[in-house]
């Protein structure tokens, strides 16, 4: 496709988008009028299913199928990263050297780590009651573990981060979401329908399947972020020159000392 054809395709698409966007803007309710009817319906639906957090009700009840797609996107991204950044046959792993950390940074990170981890778990557990949920709490919990990398060094992080366990946790979170949806089908309802007892409003047991799906997302996001960061951090301690540790000659090549099979990593 030539540059001229690409330009015309872009102009036609842009013109169509502009026309649709303008039509949608002119059809918006006037400023200062009553709230949009969808908001009122969402609030009524959340309260009818005893879910205090309306956002969680929309995410894990009204549009739970869309959330499955969002969770699957993260799962696929982490899986792709694991495959692309896996250790090659000619790569050798070197244990990282101990890092020098300022005492004040060490104390602050070590004091903040349990607090941040607790906040992340709290946000996940109370997603159907208060603002937050599995996505937000999962990111907080996963990044909280990496405060150990700041407080100590990479070896300390590795000791509390068994990757196999987190990889299983990511797959288990994705599977738990799908199994919950299939269980609703076996119960005679639609896929991912809210079929569990709604419980008491504003309690941890309220919301029916909302806390179950929320916990599944929290597990998947926490484990996925840990695995994702681990694969990128591992690049800093991989040796990709086959002859660096075994005494064999290195290929100087024409690129300033880096052989054809060598890739620079931070």
């Amino acid at each position: 496709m030539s540059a001229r054809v690409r330009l015309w395709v872009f102009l036609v698409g842009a013109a169509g988008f502009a026309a649709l966007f303008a039509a949608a803007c002119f059809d918006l309710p006037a400023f200062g009028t009553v709230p949009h009817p969808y908001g009122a319906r969402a609030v009524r639906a959340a309260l009818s299913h005893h879910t205090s957090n309306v956002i969680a009700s929309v995410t894990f009840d009204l549009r739970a199928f869309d959330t499955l797609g969002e969770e699957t996107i993260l799962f696929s991204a982490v899986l792709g990263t694991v495959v692309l950044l896996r250790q090659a046959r000619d790569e050798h792993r070197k244990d990282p050297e101990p890092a020098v950390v300022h005492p004040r940074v060490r104390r602050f990170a070590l004091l903040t780590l349990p607090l941040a981890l607790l906040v992340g778990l709290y946000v996940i557990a109370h997603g159907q009651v208060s603002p937050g949920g599995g996505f937000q709490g999962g990111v907080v919990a996963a990044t909280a573990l990496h405060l150990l990398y700041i407080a100590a060094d990479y070896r300390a992080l590795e000791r509390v981060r068994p990757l196999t366990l987190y990889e299983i946790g990511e797959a288990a979170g994705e599977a738990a979401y799908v199994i919950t949806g299939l269980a609703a089908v076996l119960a005679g309802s639609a896929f991912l329908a809210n079929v569990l007892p709604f419980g008491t409003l504003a309690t941890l047991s309220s919301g029916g399947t909302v806390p179950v799906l929320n916990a599944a997302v929290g597990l998947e996001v926490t484990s996925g972020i840990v695995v994702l960061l681990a694969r990128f951090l591992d690049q800093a301690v991989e040796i990709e020159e086959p002859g660096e540790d075994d005494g064999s000659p290195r290929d100087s090549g024409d690129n300033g000392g880096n052989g054809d099979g060598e890739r620079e990593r931070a």
Side-chain angles (χ1 to χ4, degrees):
M1 183 182 294
S2 64
R4 182 182 296 273
V5 175
R6 289 197 299 267
L7 177 60
W8 276 108
V9 171
F10 168 76
L11 292 176
V12 171
F17 174 80
L20 294 175
F21 185 78
C25 290
F26 285 119
D27 199 35
L28 287 174
F31 182 77
T33 57
V34 296
H36 195 277
Y38 181 81
R41 294 172 184 173
V43 172
R44 287 197 300 268
L47 294 179
S48 66
H49 288 181
H50 296 183
T51 307
S52 303
N53 184 5
V54 178
I55 302 300
S57 176
V58 173
T59 304
F60 299 110
D61 196 349
L62 299 180
R63 50 179 293 269
F65 188 79
D66 295 342
T67 303
L68 174 61
E70 296 170 3
E71 184 186 27
T72 304
I73 290 174
L74 175 61
F75 180 81
S76 302
V78 175
L79 180 61
T81 302
V82 170
V83 172
L84 291 175
L85 298 183
R86 68 188 184 277
Q87 186 172 326
R89 292 181 178 179
D90 61 343
E91 294 177 345
H92 306 281
R93 197 174 190 280
K94 179 181 179 181
D95 292 334
E97 297 294 332
V100 178
V101 182
H102 194 282
R104 294 181 180 177
V105 175
R106 182 186 299 271
R107 287 194 296 268
F108 177 79
L110 291 177
L111 290 175
T112 308
L113 191 155
L115 178 61
L117 184 59
L118 181 62
V119 169
L121 297 177
Y122 178 90
V123 172
I124 295 175
H126 292 75
Q128 74 278 10
V129 178
S130 57
F135 285 104
Q136 300 88 337
V139 173
V140 174
T143 53
L145 291 176
H146 290 78
L147 287 173
L148 189 59
Y149 176 60
I150 299 175
D153 55 23
Y154 192 70
R155 298 177 301 173
L157 174 62
E158 285 186 308
R159 287 193 290 267
V160 299
R161 191 204 60 189
L163 279 185
T164 301
L165 181 62
Y166 284 98
E167 289 171 352
I168 294 174
E170 185 195 14
E174 178 78 10
Y177 201 105
V178 176
I179 292 173
T180 303
L182 294 176
V185 175
L186 294 177
S189 187
F191 181 69
L192 288 173
N194 198 338
V195 296
L196 292 179
F198 299 142
T200 304
L201 183 66
T203 62
L204 293 181
S205 60
S206 62
T209 58
V210 171
V212 178
L213 298 177
N214 183 57
V217 169
L219 175 62
E220 197 272 337
V221 171
T222 301
S223 303
I225 295 298
V226 170
V227 174
L228 189 67
L229 293 178
R231 293 303 177 182
F232 282 105
L233 288 175
D234 278 347
Q235 305 307 298
V237 295
E238 283 185 4
I239 300 175
E240 299 194 52
E241 298 180 63
E244 184 169 337
D245 284 350
D246 57 14
S248 61
R250 295 169 56 182
D251 180 16
S252 59
D254 297 328
N255 54 359
N258 293 331
D260 294 337
E262 178 187 356
R263 293 173 295 172
E264 291 292 340
R265 287 185 177 175

